[in-house]
């Protein structure tokens, strides 16, 4: 009949710390994946903003009586220059708000990732100290 090996309190603590460190590392990886997705969304918003700002520049060259068409499904619908310009300005304002929101989200991710990394470093340092103590104390004797 196999007997369970009884761990010392120090060994139990080390095991708990190792499990916590693994859990933190998995959480950090998940946050990094979320951050990459958020960065991709931000990149797309920056592209849209650039495109819409170019359209606004083009509107400056149009006169008030110019004809502007808007693509609605498969049909080009006529639209007044003033109305089209306002629509694009609203779109740029919305994109700017989204970029600010995304930057705040990314800042939060960075803080969370840094906190998790700091905790992992703290655990690693504690494990090194425990290892040094054990080496100075001599071999560990397992009790059965």
């Amino acid at each position: 009949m196999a007997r369970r090996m009884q761990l010392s309190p120090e060994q139990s603590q080390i095991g708990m710390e190792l499990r916590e460190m693994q859990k933190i590392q998995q959480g950090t990886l998940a946050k990094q994946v979320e951050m990459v997705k958020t960065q991709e969304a931000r990149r797309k918003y920056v592209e849209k903003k650039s495109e819409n700002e170019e359209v606004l520049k083009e509107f400056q060259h149009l006169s008030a009586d110019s004809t502007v068409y808007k693509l609605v499904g498969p049909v080009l619908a006529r639209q007044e220059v003033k109305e089209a310009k306002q629509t694009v300005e609203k779109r740029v304002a919305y994109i700017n708000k989204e970029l600010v929101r995304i930057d705040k989200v990314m800042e939060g991710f960075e803080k969370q990732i840094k906190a998790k990394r700091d905790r992992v470093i703290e655990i690693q340092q504690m494990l090194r100290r425990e290892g040094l103590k054990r080496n100075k104390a001599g071999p560990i004797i397992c009790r059965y």
Side-chain angles (χ1 to χ4, degrees):
M1 187 173 186
R3 299 174 87 193
R4 288 185 124 189
M5 190 171 79
Q6 189 170 356
L7 299 176
S8 69
E10 295 85 21
Q11 290 171 326
S12 295
Q13 179 66 25
I14 291 171
M16 289 188 321
E17 296 291 346
L18 285 172
R19 284 190 293 281
E20 180 184 356
M21 190 170 70
Q22 288 172 341
K23 200 180 290 186
I24 290 170
Q25 288 173 332
Q26 289 171 349
T28 301
L29 183 61
K31 284 292 177 194
Q32 288 172 333
V33 168
E34 286 181 58
M35 191 167 171
V36 168
K37 289 178 183 178
T38 305
Q39 288 171 335
E40 181 63 24
R42 186 182 192 292
R43 186 190 60 76
K44 288 179 182 178
Y45 275 117
V46 169
E47 285 177 13
K48 288 180 182 183
K49 179 182 176 185
S50 177
E51 291 170 3
N52 282 284
E53 286 174 341
E54 288 298 316
V55 171
L56 283 175
K57 287 179 187 176
E58 292 296 321
F59 279 137
Q60 291 175 351
H61 300 292
L62 297 177
S63 62
D65 62 336
S66 297
T67 305
V68 176
Y69 293 93
K70 178 180 180 178
L71 186 63
V72 181
V75 178
L76 285 174
R78 190 173 184 166
Q79 191 175 27
E80 291 185 32
V81 174
K82 183 179 177 182
E83 182 183 341
K85 186 175 180 181
Q86 287 174 344
T87 301
V88 175
E89 287 171 344
K90 287 179 185 177
R91 194 176 307 133
V92 169
Y94 170 78
I95 290 170
N96 284 331
K97 288 178 186 174
E98 282 299 299
L99 287 172
V100 168
R101 183 189 66 78
I102 287 172
D103 287 343
K104 287 179 183 176
V105 168
M106 286 178 49
E107 187 178 305
F109 283 154
E110 288 169 357
K111 285 179 182 177
Q112 290 172 354
I113 289 169
K114 184 185 181 316
K116 288 176 186 261
R117 282 186 186 147
D118 291 346
R119 178 65 181 135
V120 166
I121 290 169
E122 183 181 306
I123 292 170
Q124 287 173 339
Q125 290 171 345
M126 189 276 304
L127 292 173
R128 278 191 208 106
R129 284 191 304 270
E130 289 297 320
L132 289 174
K133 283 181 191 176
R134 249 192 265 128
N135 287 341
K136 288 180 183 176
I140 298 175
I141 299 172
C142 297
R143 297 179 196 126
Y144 290 98

